[in-house]
Amino acid sequence: MAMSAGKDDGEPMSEMNTTPLIDVMLVLLIMFIITIPVATHAVNIDLPSPPPPNMPKPPVDPIKNKVVLTPDNQILWNGTPIDRSVLAANLKASRSMAPEPELQFEPDAQSGYELAANVLNIIKASEVTKFGFVGNERYASFGKAPNAK
C-alpha cells in the first residue's frame, strides 16, 4: 500500500489518504457478499406421503370417469352430455364409492376458458381425491397443429 509522508518544507498535507478508506470499503463489501443468503428458486409442492412398505397396496380401481369439454361448450360425462348440476351429483356419488374412481378431465383446445374454470371449481368443491388431466400430450409442441410434422 502506498503511503505519502508529505513534503520536507514543513507544510501540512493537503491531500487526504484514501487507502484506509478503500481498505475498509473492500472489507465491508466482502462481508456483505458473504452474509447474503443464497437465492433459492424452489417451488413448494405438498406431495402425499408414501404408504409404509409393509402395508399392502390398495387394488387398482378399473372404473374411470371422464369429463370432457367440447368445442361447443358441452360437458360430457363418460360420453353423455350433462349440465353442471348433474356433474356435481355424479361427483358426489363417485366420491362416496369405495374405492373412489379416478376422475379424468379433458378439455378440448377450442372449449371456452370460462366453462373449464367453472367445471374445475365444481370438481374442487366436490373434494375428489383421484383427479388427473388427460390429453395434454397432443399439445406437447406449442404452436403446432396436433397433426403437423
Side-chain angles (χ1 to χ4, degrees):
M1 311 248 167
M3 187 172 143
S4 173
K7 299 179 184 173
D8 285 336
D9 59 0
E11 298 217 7
M13 256 176 42
S14 62
E15 299 156 359
M16 184 175 154
N17 187 4
T18 58
T19 304
L21 177 65
I22 293 172
D23 290 344
V24 169
M25 294 302 286
L26 287 174
V27 168
L28 287 174
L29 179 67
I30 291 171
M31 288 175 56
F32 284 135
I33 290 173
I34 290 173
T35 58
I36 293 174
V38 177
T40 57
H41 301 287
V43 177
N44 297 327
I45 299 174
D46 294 330
L47 297 175
S49 59
N54 57 356
M55 289 189 63
K57 292 184 179 181
V60 177
D61 185 30
I63 300 173
K64 293 179 182 162
N65 297 310
K66 193 169 192 178
V67 175
V68 178
L69 302 181
T70 63
D72 54 345
N73 288 331
Q74 280 190 329
I75 304 169
L76 302 179
W77 176 272
N78 294 332
T80 306
I82 59 170
D83 62 358
R84 294 177 185 157
S85 60
V86 175
L87 174 64
N90 287 352
L91 291 171
K92 184 178 179 183
S94 68
R95 179 87 166 93
S96 63
M97 294 179 183
E100 182 181 345
E102 179 182 329
L103 179 64
Q104 297 178 345
F105 181 67
E106 183 179 0
D108 188 270
Q110 301 302 319
S111 64
Y113 177 78
E114 184 178 354
L115 176 66
N118 289 336
V119 169
L120 285 173
N121 282 334
I122 293 170
I123 292 170
K124 183 178 179 181
S126 70
E127 298 179 351
V128 296
T129 58
K130 293 183 178 181
F131 175 74
F133 291 90
V134 296
N136 293 337
E137 62 277 356
R138 293 179 284 175
Y139 310 110
S141 299
F142 185 73
K144 292 184 180 178
N147 296 328
K149 292 182 181 179

